[in-house]
Amino acid sequence: SIDTYGVLYNNPMDPSNSSGNMIAFNDDGAGAAQFKITAPLDAGNTYVLVVTTFGDHITGAYQLITSGPSVLALNSFTPVTSLTMPTT
């Protein structure tokens, strides 16, 4: 399995300021090299969950499991940064 790492942000998430708006992060909280984040979320707010791997250049399929008293909608998006990123 892939060694996952998760970070939960209050929207918006700025890749050039990874600690800004951060609510929680975790690496191995679920055991077996899997992250687990438990956080109270407010209805009507938008949150950003970044899922990555602990090691560099690791790719593959993964599964997210969510639970709570309400339906959670998950959407993929590309974040916007306030820092000019170099192009190659």
Side-chain angles (χ1 to χ4, degrees), residues 3-68:
D3 186 356
T4 59
Y5 187 89
V7 186
L8 180 65
Y9 294 92
N10 201 356
N11 193 48
M13 182 271 180
D14 183 348
S16 64
N17 181 13
S18 62
S19 63
N21 292 341
M22 183 189 307
I23 296 171
F25 64 94
N26 189 264
D27 180 19
D28 293 328
Q34 303 302 299
F35 78 92
K36 179 180 181 179
I37 294 176
T38 301
L41 305 179
D42 295 325
N45 287 0
T46 300
Y47 299 91
V48 176
L49 175 63
V50 175
V51 178
T52 187
T53 59
F54 189 76
D56 295 336
H57 310 291
I58 306 294
T59 61
Y62 62 91
Q63 179 181 19
L64 287 176
I65 300 171
T66 62
S67 65

Side-chain angles (χ1 to χ4, degrees), residues 67 70 80:
S67 65
S70 299
V80 176

